[in-house]
C-alpha cells in the first residue's frame, strides 16, 4: 500500500501548543520532512521523538518533493513540519502538497498553531473577512503592485515582517494606503508577546524610537466600503451627465439602462439624470 503525507502543525512559540495527535503522528510515521532539521531537532528532543528526519526547504522543494513522493509510493508515511506553525502556508510545503495530488498520494492536515490566525483573533479588527499576504516581495516593482492592489481591499489584511524591516514596511504601507488602523503582534505565544493596537503613523513613530524584536504580524484595517463608494461617486462627477450616459451607451446599453446605471454611480435619482440631459439638450 502507498504511504500518506501528514501536514503537522508545530508550535509558533509555546511548546504546549502542540496537539496530542501531532505528537502521536510524529512518533508513528517513517520519516519527518523538516524545513530546518537543526531547528526541528530541538522540538523532537523535547518530546523524545526518535523518528528520522530529512530536510525539505525552499532550495530543494521540487527535486526533494519527487524523492519524498517516491518513498510514499513505496509505502512510507511521511510527516511534513515547518519551523513554526502550519506547513504549506507561505512555505515550500504547498509545492509538495500539489505534487502529491498530481502523483496520486493521499494528503491530510493535522490542525494546530498558525501565526496569522492567532494574530487575527487578538487584533481587535474585523475577523469575518480577511486576506493573507504573508511577506511582501523583495522586488520593488512587484511589491508596489501588491500595495496598489491593497489600496482598495475592504477585508482585514494580514502581513508578516521581520523586525529589522518593520519600520520600512510600515512607511510603505502608509504611503500607499494612507493612515489606517493597524495591530502589530510580536513574539506570539511567547513570554514577551505583545499586541499593539494603533495607527500606521503612530506605529512608525513608536518603532523608530524603540527597535522591535521578534517576528511580527501586521494586521491592517480594510478600506471602508462607504468611503470607497463616495470616492467613486466623486470620480464619476468629473464627467458631465451626458458623458457619463454616453459611456454606457458606447458599451451597448440602451438609453434607459444607461441612465439608470449613471444615476446609481452618481448617487442620484434617475429623474435627476433625465432632467440634466433634458436641460443640456435645450441649451
Amino acid at each position: 500500500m502507498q504511504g500518506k503525507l501528514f501536514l503537522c502543525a508545530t508550535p509558533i512559540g509555546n511548546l504546549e501548543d502542540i496537539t496530542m495527535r501531532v505528537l502521536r503522528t510524529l512518533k508513528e510515521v517513517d520519516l519527518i520532512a523538516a524545513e530546518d532539521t537543526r531547528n526541528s531537532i530541538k522540538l523532537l528532543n523535547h518530546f523524545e521523538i526518535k523518528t528520522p528526519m530529512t530536510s525539505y526547504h525552499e532550495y530543494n522543494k521540487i527535486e526533494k518533493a519527487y524523492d519524498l513522493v517516491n518513498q510514499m509510493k513505496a509505502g512510507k508515511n511521511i510527516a511534513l513540519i515547518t519551523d513554526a506553525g502550519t506547513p504549506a502556508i507561505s512555505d515550500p510545503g504547498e509545492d509538495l502538497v500539489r505534487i502529491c495530488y498530481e502523483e496520486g498520494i493521499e494528503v491530510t492536515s493535522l490542525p494546530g498553531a498558525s501565526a496569522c490566525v492567532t494574530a487575527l483573533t487578538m487584533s481587535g479588527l474585523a475577523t469575518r473577512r480577511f486576506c493573507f499576504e504573508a511577506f511582501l516581495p523583495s522586488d520593488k516593482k512587484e511589491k508596489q503592485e501588491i500595495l496598489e492592489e491593497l489600496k482598495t481591499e475592504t477585508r482585514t489584511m494580514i502581513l508578516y515582517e521581520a523586525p529589522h524591516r518593520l519600520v520600512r514596511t510600515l512607511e510603505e504601507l502608509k504611503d500607499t494606503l494612507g493612515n489606517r488602523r493597524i495591530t502589530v503582534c510580536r513574539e506570539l505565544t511567547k513570554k514577551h508577546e505583545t499586541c499593539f493596537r494603533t495607527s500606521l503613523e503612530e506605529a512608525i513613530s513608536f518603532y523608530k524610537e524603540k527597535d522591535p524584536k521578534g517576528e511580527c504580524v501586521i494586521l491592517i484595517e480594510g478600506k471602508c466600503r462607504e468611503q470607497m463608494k463616495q470616492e467613486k461617486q466623486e470620480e464619476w462627477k468629473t464627467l458631465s451627465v451626458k458623458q457619463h450616459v454616453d459611456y454606457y451607451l458606447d458599451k451597448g446599453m440602451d438609453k434607459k439602462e444607461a441612465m439608470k446605471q449613471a444615476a446609481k454611480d452618481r448617487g442620484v435619482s434617475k429623474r435627476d439624470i433625465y432632467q440634466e440631459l433634458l436641460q443640456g439638450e435645450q441649451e
Side-chain angles (χ1 to χ4, degrees):
M1 291 179 61
Q2 286 194 147
K4 187 174 178 179
L5 178 67
F6 296 82
L7 305 175
C8 294
T10 55
I12 57 177
N14 192 318
L15 291 178
E16 293 179 2
D17 290 335
I18 200 164
T19 70
M20 294 178 67
R21 184 181 173 206
V22 167
L23 287 175
R24 176 179 57 78
T25 299
L26 292 178
K27 291 175 181 178
E28 291 178 352
V29 293
D30 301 293
L31 182 67
I32 298 171
E35 188 174 7
D36 185 340
T37 55
R38 295 166 301 179
N39 180 66
S40 295
I41 193 64
K42 300 171 188 175
L43 176 73
L44 300 191
N45 286 342
H46 180 84
F47 291 107
E48 299 180 349
I49 297 170
K50 307 298 183 184
T51 306
M53 266 198 303
T54 187
S55 63
Y56 178 76
H57 49 71
E58 182 66 28
Y59 303 104
N60 71 354
K61 62 183 182 180
I62 302 301
E63 180 183 357
K64 190 59 173 281
Y66 284 103
D67 174 53
L68 295 174
V69 163
N70 287 335
Q71 293 188 57
M72 285 182 276
K73 284 182 175 180
K76 282 190 176 182
N77 287 316
I78 297 179
L80 177 68
I81 60 175
T82 185
D83 284 349
T86 301
I89 296 180
S90 189
D91 79 22
E94 67 175 311
D95 291 288
L96 177 56
V97 172
R98 172 179 55 80
I99 292 169
C100 279
Y101 280 117
E102 290 172 353
E103 297 292 323
I105 297 296
E106 186 179 354
V107 179
T108 190
S109 183
L110 283 60
S114 174
C116 60
V117 174
T118 302
L120 177 66
T121 57
M122 64 192 290
S123 69
L125 297 175
T127 60
R128 189 178 72 84
R129 298 172 66 249
F130 61 92
C131 66
F132 176 60
E133 283 292 335
F135 289 93
L136 290 172
S138 55
D139 180 80
K140 289 184 179 180
K141 183 179 179 182
E142 187 181 355
K143 181 195 296 184
Q144 193 55 44
E145 287 174 353
I146 289 176
L147 289 173
E148 287 295 326
E149 289 176 7
L150 295 180
K151 280 175 70 172
T152 56
E153 178 57 70
T154 59
R155 297 170 294 181
T156 298
M157 296 160 271
I158 308 173
L159 304 177
Y160 288 162
E161 193 50 278
H164 65 281
R165 292 194 300 264
L166 179 62
V167 170
R168 184 183 69 186
T169 296
L170 292 173
E171 289 175 335
E172 291 170 338
L173 288 167
K174 181 182 174 296
D175 289 343
T176 309
L177 309 182
N179 189 30
R180 303 279 186 93
R181 284 198 308 158
I182 67 164
T183 300
V184 180
C185 296
R186 299 187 306 105
E187 298 284 82
L188 286 170
T189 76
K190 299 178 184 177
K191 182 178 180 181
H192 299 292
E193 172 184 278
T194 62
C195 183
F196 183 26
R197 296 190 65 210
T198 181
S199 68
L200 280 167
E201 280 185 358
E202 291 172 353
I204 291 166
S205 298
F206 179 82
Y207 288 117
K208 278 184 175 179
E209 295 294 324
K210 185 176 182 180
D211 288 338
K213 296 180 180 178
E215 295 299 311
C216 306
V217 184
I218 309 169
L219 302 105
I220 309 144
E221 181 180 46
K223 193 162 189 177
C224 173
R225 286 179 177 273
E226 189 58 36
Q227 181 187 352
M228 287 179 64
K229 183 180 177 181
Q230 291 173 0
E231 288 177 358
K232 194 64 179 174
Q233 285 178 359
E234 292 304 314
E235 186 180 327
W236 279 118
K237 288 175 183 177
T238 61
L239 299 177
S240 70
V241 170
K242 184 178 185 307
Q243 288 172 329
H244 198 158
V245 172
D246 285 346
Y247 170 81
Y248 287 116
L249 290 174
D250 292 341
K251 286 185 171 293
M253 287 187 182
D254 62 39
K255 191 168 184 178
K256 185 177 178 181
E257 281 299 312
M259 290 168 60
K260 182 179 178 181
Q261 187 59 51
K264 182 178 179 182
D265 291 342
R266 298 169 89 91
V268 299
S269 70
K270 185 179 171 183
R271 181 177 178 80
D272 290 334
I273 297 295
Y274 176 75
Q275 292 293 341
E276 285 262 6
L277 290 175
L278 189 61
Q279 185 178 342
E281 288 173 0
Q282 291 173 349
E283 292 175 355

